[in-house]
Each structure stands twice: as structure tokens, then as C-alpha cells.
Amino acid sequence: LGSPLNQTMPGQELAVTAKKEKEVVVFIDGLFGGGVAGSARKALSARFPSARFVTLHCGAVSSVRDRAVECFYQLKGGQTDYCVANPNLEKGHGRYGLKYPGLHPEWDETQPIHIIAYSLGAPTARFLQHLLIRQAFTNKNGDPMRSSGGWVASITTLNGVNNGTMAVYAVGLSPFSKQPLPFSILWWIFSLIYVAVWCEWERAEKSWKLQLGHWEVRKEHGVSLPKLMLWRPGGADNGGRDLCPASIAQINAEIESTLPHPTTRYLACCASCTTPLPLSGVEVPTVGFLLQWQAVFLVPLSLVVSVTAYLQALLRFCLAPVLFLLSLLPLPRRAAVTGKDARDHGQGSAVVASKGCQVQKKKSWGLFGSDMRCAHVGGGVKCDGAWPEGLRREQANDGVCSIHCQSAPASDARRALGARHCCLNALVQEGVASGKWTEVQMPSGFSHVELCQGTARAEDFLSGLCTLVLQKKVFLGAGPEEVEDVGGSEKMETIRKKLDRHEKWVGKVLDKSKSPVKRSPSKTASSPN
């Protein structure tokens, strides 16, 4: 227990009784350290003693690239080298960061991890796997470290910013320069961070979990406070900038060539706490959400997301005749992709809708939303029953991110989108295929910060999610022909045995679903016919 490998950095969780054979579930937090509540993580550790839950604390305002590098070294151990993700660092950005002993130093293909990423942790997890596939990390001698995408067994995103959110513009990010507007909310937040870092205010840095020691902007670097406030470094390398749709699109385009990995399962959990306003179609927060205290902060962001999407759709409708006339002009067109190239680009792929989720609508009260309950568990779990389509996907949101933002990344969805499910109960029956994205709705009325509060409903959802991951009833849905022999015949035999057990379990579920329902005999005698 006293070995250096078992010593963690402040605030990081490590199970003392963890064994190597335990499956490792890694939580990656979002911006400003937001993520699954500590009480919910403790409850999961108690419910799943055979698993090991590890929490990674990235820089509170660090960029996606920096966060991905920090995640690797926190797990594997070593001194953080930011050049592996971005050789051309911004001025003032140092190359090396903190040195970590390693929370999971034996991490490799034979002991992969399950990642549960919240908010900005979603693109962080995907970029981490991208770096693993590229073998971008180096060992102590500076030689390339052997790694692969098989180090990650599954990636689950919760309220993930997979396609960017418009809410970041509401706090002062310019959509043109991608810099905070002067004297906006975001501008003041970064100004306060600059002062805390320059003054070496340790209490603020620890409580805010900034982890900005690699930025050379302090007094010992010859930088005065007025110069720092005018210079404002990190403008092109911060988490707030990476939240906007344009920055996320650039990240998705960069990792499009390597992801999704064929042996990894991808699951996007989407939430919404809005409902269409009668006669207008604009999404507004439900009354149940308005009664919560966090609505004071999230309602303005939610309205910005829904109204902006509505105005964009209205503009597209008005410009439709002009675009139609332009399409008639004899302009050079891009050649159509056919054959194998079309399959590689995902053209013609269809999304499979959920078949197993049958819901019963109980009541509907306009702004209060509809109370629908999933028939799988006898009405015990709330379920939306149908995915928002069309404009609603752009408007319906959890207070920060729209359904489109939380869905599978646009770069992956064009060619690797599997199925959409209305709830976890339907997901259990239909399964998750490897190498593709699967989307599932979270309970009705889930806001962006409910997971941070650790409510009973959030704990129940996370418990069901971890049950699917750890029991491998969902994340071993691939056939033996889809698994690469990367670990020898012994590993392949183990995988085949797990696949056989999974197929037997699926067969039992299907047999139960096909068996007739036994009814109690009536009091009056009926004819034999």
C-alpha cells in the first residue's frame, strides 16, 4: 500500500483493495470540474465491489487536447508532455506539466478501461483514444510507446458536448474570433483566473482545480500583471473555446480518420428538459425544471440554444428558393462516391430505430411535459418514448446542450451510427454494436447539472448504465470475426467464451419475450374450444 504507484494526487480516488483483474471504470469530468457527484460515485463503488472506479481531474479550463494528455499520464503515470497532442504550442504554453505516479499503470490492451465522460469530457475521451491509436505518447527514454485503440473498451458520454453548443455564445464568446468579448461574463472569468495564477493564489488554484502550472505567465517568468491582462494568453487554447460548434467540428475532423475504433463500443446518453411551446414550436423549459434552483442559471442558456436554432431554421426556410435557383446553375459538382468508397464514407446508411421500447402515455399538461413510463419494467422508469426529430433535435436541450449536440459526433454519425433507443431498458434487449455509435435517451426532464447533484434518479440511471457495462451484456455484442487477435490465442479463447455466454443470455431474453403470457383462469367455466 505504501508503494509510489498507489499514491494519488490530491482529490483523486483510488480503491485501496483494487486488484489487477478488476475492471476499471474511468470518470472524466467536464469544464470547471463538473461531473458525476461524489455521492453517486461512492454509491456505485458500493454497488459494484468487483469493479474499480477512478476519477480523473483535468484542468478546469484546459483545452480538449491538454485534457486528453493529462488523462493519459494520470492513468499510466509519468510527466505530462503536452507536445504529444499539439507540437505547435501557443506562446506561454510550457511543454511539461505535473508528474503523476499512475492510477492504472498496468493499462494496456489486455486490461482496457471503460470511460464515462461528462460534458466536455466527451471530446476529451475521444481525443485520448485518437492519441492512443496514433501512438503519440513516449516512454521515459523518449521512444514511442506502443498503444492502440483497444486500450479503451467503451466510451459512454453523459450530456456530452459531441457537436458543440450555442450556449457558450451567451456568456460572451465571439462566434467570429472565438475569443471572449471584452467585459463579458467569460472575459471576467478568465481575468479572475489570470490574477489567481499570476499571484500564485494556491487556495484558489486548488479549489478551482485549475492545474495551469505549465503556463509560463508568472512573475518569475518576467511577466507583469498589466502585461498579462493585455496579453491574455490561452485565447486559442482553452476549454471555453472548444465548447463552440466550430472548434468541436475542427476536433472531429482531426480524429475522423482514426475513430470510431472497430473494437470499442460508443454510447451517447442524451437528455432534455424542454418542451415545445404551443402554436409556435419553440422549445421552452418545462415547469418542473423551472421549479429547480439551478434554473436561474440554465434557463437563459436554454433559451439561447432553442431560439438560435429556431431562427437558423427560419433563415434556411427563407433562403431555400435562392439555394434552389443556385442549384440549377451549371456549376462544377463533386463526383458521386460509389461502391466500396461509398460504404467507407457511410453514404446510404440508415439509422435503426428502437423496436423494444413500448411506452404508455399517462398524462400531458402542456408545459408540464408528458409523463410516459416504459412498459419494460411495469411503469417504474420514466421514458420519453420517441426521439425528437427535425428541428426539435436542434432545439430540445438540457439547459446547455441540445439533443444534436449530445448525439453521436457528426463526423462519426455519417458512417457509423447504429441505433437510437428511448431508454436503457430497450438498450438491454437490443444491444450495442462495436465500432458504431448508439444513442439512448436519459430519463425525462434530466438537466445538464442533475448528475452533478447526485439525485436518486441520477444514481439509479448510473447504476443501470454501469450494470450494462460491467456485466458485458451490451458491450460484447460483436461476433468473433470482428475481434482482432492482438493478445494471442489464449485471449481469443477468453473472448469467445464471453461471447458465447452473451449469446446464451440473448437467447433466453428472446425466448421469454416470445413465450405466451399466462393468464389466471376466469371464474366462469369456458368451453374447451
Side-chain angles (χ1 to χ4, degrees), residues 283-322:
E283 291 278 334
V284 295
T286 60
V287 172
F289 175 63
L290 291 174
L291 297 178
Q292 302 178 18
W293 66 268
Q294 64 268 22
V296 178
F297 308 99
L298 296 184
V299 165
L301 302 180
S302 176
L303 292 177
V304 167
V305 173
S306 58
V307 173
T308 302
Y310 186 83
L311 294 178
Q312 287 180 345
L314 185 62
L315 181 62
R316 289 195 299 266
F317 177 79
C318 296
L319 294 178
V322 179

Side-chain angles (χ1 to χ4, degrees), residues 18 41 49-50 98 126 165 184 221 258 266 311 323 340 347 507:
R41 298 177 187 182
S50 61
L98 294 176
R126 296 174 56 243
T165 174
S184 62
H221 301 122
T258 58
Y266 301 88
L311 294 178
L323 297 178
K340 180 180 180 298
Q347 297 184 8

Side-chain angles (χ1 to χ4, degrees), residues 59 61-70 73 79-98 190 194 197 210-218 221 223 228 231-239 242:
V61 293
S62 297
S63 63
V64 169
R65 292 172 175 81
D66 288 357
R67 289 163 55 87
V69 174
E70 293 169 359
Y73 287 103
Q79 186 171 16
T80 308
D81 184 0
Y82 292 103
C83 278
V84 300
N86 185 13
N88 302 319
L89 296 175
E90 186 179 348
K91 182 181 178 181
H93 193 309
R95 175 175 180 177
Y96 297 104
L98 294 176
F190 277 95
Y194 290 143
V197 172
L210 295 178
Q211 299 185 22
L212 297 176
H214 54 281
W215 283 91
E216 301 172 351
V217 294
R218 293 174 173 81
H221 301 122
V223 180
L228 178 62
W231 175 21
R232 306 188 73 83
D237 193 358
N238 63 79
D242 286 346

Side-chain angles (χ1 to χ4, degrees), residues 150-399:
W151 287 30
V152 181
S154 66
I155 294 180
T156 303
T157 64
L158 305 173
N159 305 100
V161 190
N162 291 317
N163 293 299
T165 174
M166 294 287 185
V168 70
Y169 299 135
V171 294
L173 186 72
S174 171
F176 305 104
S177 64
K178 301 179 187 177
Q179 301 283 347
L181 295 173
F183 306 106
S184 62
I185 297 176
L186 197 61
W187 187 89
W188 284 110
I189 291 176
F190 277 95
S191 299
L192 184 59
I193 292 175
Y194 290 143
V195 173
V197 172
W198 188 84
C199 296
E200 299 182 4
W201 189 8
E202 295 184 2
R203 184 176 180 180
E205 291 187 14
K206 290 182 179 179
S207 59
W208 298 344
K209 302 176 183 178
L210 295 178
Q211 299 185 22
L212 297 176
H214 54 281
W215 283 91
E216 301 172 351
V217 294
R218 293 174 173 81
K219 289 181 286 186
E220 58 265 25
H221 301 122
V223 180
S224 62
L225 185 58
K227 179 181 178 181
L228 178 62
M229 299 302 292
L230 294 175
W231 175 21
R232 306 188 73 83
D237 193 358
N238 63 79
R241 177 191 176 99
D242 286 346
L243 285 173
C244 70
S247 296
I248 290 292
Q250 292 178 356
I251 295 174
N252 291 340
E254 182 177 349
I255 63 182
E256 184 178 6
S257 59
T258 58
L259 297 184
H261 192 265
T263 62
T264 305
R265 277 73 181 173
Y266 301 88
L267 179 62
C269 301
C270 309
S272 173
C273 58
T274 61
T275 186
L277 188 67
L279 303 179
S280 67
V282 180
E283 291 278 334
V284 295
T286 60
V287 172
F289 175 63
L290 291 174
L291 297 178
Q292 302 178 18
W293 66 268
Q294 64 268 22
V296 178
F297 308 99
L298 296 184
V299 165
L301 302 180
S302 176
L303 292 177
V304 167
V305 173
S306 58
V307 173
T308 302
Y310 186 83
L311 294 178
Q312 287 180 345
L314 185 62
L315 181 62
R316 289 195 299 266
F317 177 79
C318 296
L319 294 178
V322 179
L323 297 178
F324 175 75
L325 294 177
L326 291 177
S327 64
L328 299 179
L329 297 178
L331 299 176
R333 301 178 182 275
R334 184 178 179 180
V337 183
T338 58
K340 180 180 180 298
D341 294 334
R343 291 193 298 270
D344 294 340
H345 287 77
Q347 297 184 8
S349 60
V351 178
V352 180
S354 175
K355 300 178 181 178
C357 189
Q358 299 177 356
V359 296
Q360 300 172 351
K361 187 173 181 181
K362 300 296 183 181
K363 59 183 179 181
S364 179
W365 297 98
L367 295 182
F368 286 87
S370 300
D371 184 9
M372 297 184 178
R373 299 188 181 275
C374 181
H376 282 157
V377 289
V381 178
K382 287 186 178 181
C383 178
D384 286 332
W387 271 85
E389 298 295 340
L391 180 59
R392 283 206 63 200
R393 286 181 60 83
E394 305 285 345
Q395 291 192 63
N397 59 82
D398 60 358

Side-chain angles (χ1 to χ4, degrees), residues 112-146:
I113 62 174
H114 300 277
I115 297 180
I116 298 180
Y118 169 79
S119 191
L120 190 62
T124 302
R126 296 174 56 243
F127 202 88
L128 171 61
Q129 190 180 29
H130 167 69
L131 295 177
L132 292 173
I133 296 174
R134 285 180 46 206
Q135 299 185 1
F137 299 100
T138 57
N139 55 21
K140 297 180 180 179
N141 300 326
D143 300 326
M145 184 183 300
R146 183 179 180 274

Side-chain angles (χ1 to χ4, degrees), residues 28-44:
I28 300 181
D29 293 339
L31 202 65
F32 292 104
V36 178
S39 59
R41 298 177 187 182
K42 292 180 180 179
L44 292 176

